[in-house]
């Protein structure tokens, strides 16, 4: 997510929803830092972002002030290239959906999920190409469908096809980076694709004969994650910086929950030129964002998704996802809820 700023994430009955919080501010970020482990001088937290989602969120909420450590951002489109950067040892934490960690575990990468959050309803949508009739998952049989393999977009496809008794072998997958799916839809090289908000809204506004067919709503299609290398976790200074960063993220989403109009202006209008009223409607449809304790309610659905990937031949062997869901920061999440 690209993922979820795309906040971008059955009902979330397994997850308690955060109540709307007070507006975050530099002062609240600073006071929160005082209650967290002290970050030693000279620490740099190397953060992988997607489409500037985390940076913009923290800035909008006023949670990017008063750092006692340096934050070094790198930009990626989708989880697969980010996993390569982790493999090279150039990252400490990264912002993804819940699919890349499954691929990392299957490949033997020493990565773990250290934070997870999501809205009440999903926002990853199956959309049709302009003028192409797509009525649902079953109608995709034999058609070209664009999504980025190894991301939440593929998770949405797998879960959707399973719901109507189909598999990946029943469609023709066109593996594209998230930002390349819209052009493929517009030029007619695919019949359908999976888009994330706010890219979905921008695409539909520009292509009135295209349709949003349905939205993936499994919990695994709604959750965004912060993943980390275990090497970074083993470093006390880096781990302390992670705790502070996760608390800031949670504070930022509390601000979003209580300031939807301002966030809609900053995200949908300013960045993606979507009308304000539509942006507000999209945020309202998704519902408030809440953080999860790990492994918690994510364990079962994540295992089902991993099994689907293995059955589809996307990963070579079955994995036990419990080892990839790390509760090291559950106390931070609970303290800032």
């Amino acid at each position: 997510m690209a993922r979820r700023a795309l906040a971008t994430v059955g009902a979330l009955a397994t997850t308690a929803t955060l109540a709307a919080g007070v507006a975050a501010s530099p002062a609240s970020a600073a006071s929160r830092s005082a209650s967290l482990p002290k970050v030693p001088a000279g620490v740099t937290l190397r953060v992988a972002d997607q489409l500037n989602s985390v940076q913009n969120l923290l800035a909008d909420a006023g949670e990017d002030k008063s750092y006692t450590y340096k934050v070094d951002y790198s930009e990626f489109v989708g989880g697969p290239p980010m996993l390569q950067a982790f493999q090279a040892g150039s990252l400490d934490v990264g912002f993804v959906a819940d699919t890349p960690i499954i691929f990392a575990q299957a490949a033997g990468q020493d990565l773990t999920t250290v934070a997870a959050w999501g809205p009440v309803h999903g926002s990853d949508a199956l959309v049709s190409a302009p003028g192409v009739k797509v009525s649902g998952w079953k109608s995709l049989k034999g058609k070209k469908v664009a999504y980025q393999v190894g991301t939440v977009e593929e998770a949405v496809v797998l879960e959707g096809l399973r719901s109507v008794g189909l598999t990946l072998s029943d469609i023709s997958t066109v593996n594209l980076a998230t930002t390349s799916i819209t052009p493929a839809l517009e030029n007619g090289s695919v019949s359908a694709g999976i888009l994330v908000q706010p890219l979905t809204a921008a695409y539909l506004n520009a292509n009135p004969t295209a349709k949003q067919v349905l939205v993936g709503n499994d919990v695994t299609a709604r959750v965004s994650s912060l993943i980390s290398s275990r090497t970074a976790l083993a470093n006390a200074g880096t781990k302390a910086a992670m705790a502070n960063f996760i608390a800031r993220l949670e504070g930022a989403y509390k601000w979003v929950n209580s300031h939807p109009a301002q966030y809609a202006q900053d995200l949908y209008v300013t960045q993606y030129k979507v009308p304000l009223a539509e942006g507000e409607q999209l945020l309202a449809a998704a519902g408030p964002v809440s953080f999860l304790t790990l492994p918690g309610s994510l364990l079962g659905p994540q295992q089902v998704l991993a099994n689907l990937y293995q059955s589809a031949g996307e990963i070579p062997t079955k994995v036990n996802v419990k080892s990839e869901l790390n509760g090291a920061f559950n106390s931070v999440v609970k303290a800032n809820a």
Side-chain angles (χ1 to χ4, degrees), residues 7 22 27-28 70 78 95 108 131 139 177 193 199 230 241 248 257 305:
V22 297
S28 64
K70 180 181 177 182
F95 171 57
S139 69
L199 301 181
R230 295 184 192 276
R248 289 171 183 268
N257 290 343
L305 180 59

Side-chain angles (χ1 to χ4, degrees), residues 13 21 45 48 66 88 115 118 144 153 166 175 179 190:
L45 187 66
S66 306
K144 291 183 178 180
E153 296 159 17
L166 299 179
N175 182 17
T179 50
V190 297

Side-chain angles (χ1 to χ4, degrees), residues 145-330:
V145 183
Y147 57 90
Q148 188 170 10
V149 172
T151 70
V152 68
E153 296 159 17
E154 185 173 26
V156 170
V157 172
L158 282 171
E159 295 280 8
L161 292 176
R162 182 184 69 146
S163 71
V164 295
L166 299 179
T167 67
L168 288 180
S169 63
D170 292 304
I171 66 171
S172 178
T173 294
V174 179
N175 182 17
L176 295 174
T178 300
T179 50
S180 297
I181 293 172
T182 290
L185 289 162
E186 291 175 333
N187 67 28
S189 59
V190 297
S191 297
I194 304 296
L195 288 177
V196 298
Q197 291 292 5
L199 301 181
T200 307
Y203 167 69
L204 294 174
N205 284 335
N207 298 277
T209 63
K211 303 297 181 184
Q212 176 174 293
V213 182
L214 46 80
V215 175
N217 209 37
D218 292 282
V219 64
T220 50
R222 286 180 277 121
V223 170
S224 297
S225 305
L226 196 70
I227 62 175
S228 169
S229 71
R230 295 184 192 276
T231 300
L233 268 178
N235 182 292
T238 304
K239 185 176 181 180
M242 283 187 211
N244 183 276
F245 194 78
I246 290 169
R248 289 171 183 268
L249 276 176
E250 191 167 9
Y253 276 112
K254 289 175 71 174
W255 176 86
V256 170
N257 290 343
S258 58
H259 294 75
Q262 186 173 339
Y263 188 58
Q265 175 67 43
D266 293 344
L267 175 63
Y268 286 100
V269 179
T270 302
Q271 294 182 52
Y272 291 95
K273 314 307 178 187
V274 173
L276 178 60
E278 186 175 351
E280 291 181 301
Q281 289 172 358
L282 290 167
L283 286 178
V289 174
S290 60
F291 273 62
L292 315 180
T293 54
L294 298 174
S297 58
L298 188 55
L299 178 60
Q302 185 78 346
Q303 186 64 61
V304 170
L305 180 59
N307 294 347
L308 276 176
Y309 275 117
Q310 193 269 328
S311 297
E314 296 288 275
I315 58 175
T317 58
K318 186 173 181 177
V319 297
N320 182 350
V321 303
K322 187 173 183 179
S323 64
E324 74 187 35
L325 301 172
N326 193 312
F329 299 104
N330 280 348

Side-chain angles (χ1 to χ4, degrees), residues 37-63:
K38 184 176 180 180
V39 183
V43 170
T44 296
L45 187 66
R46 301 170 300 169
V47 180
D49 201 353
Q50 299 197 46
L51 302 181
N52 296 306
S53 299
V54 169
Q55 296 174 76
N56 290 337
L57 170 68
L58 292 174
D60 288 345
E63 289 283 354

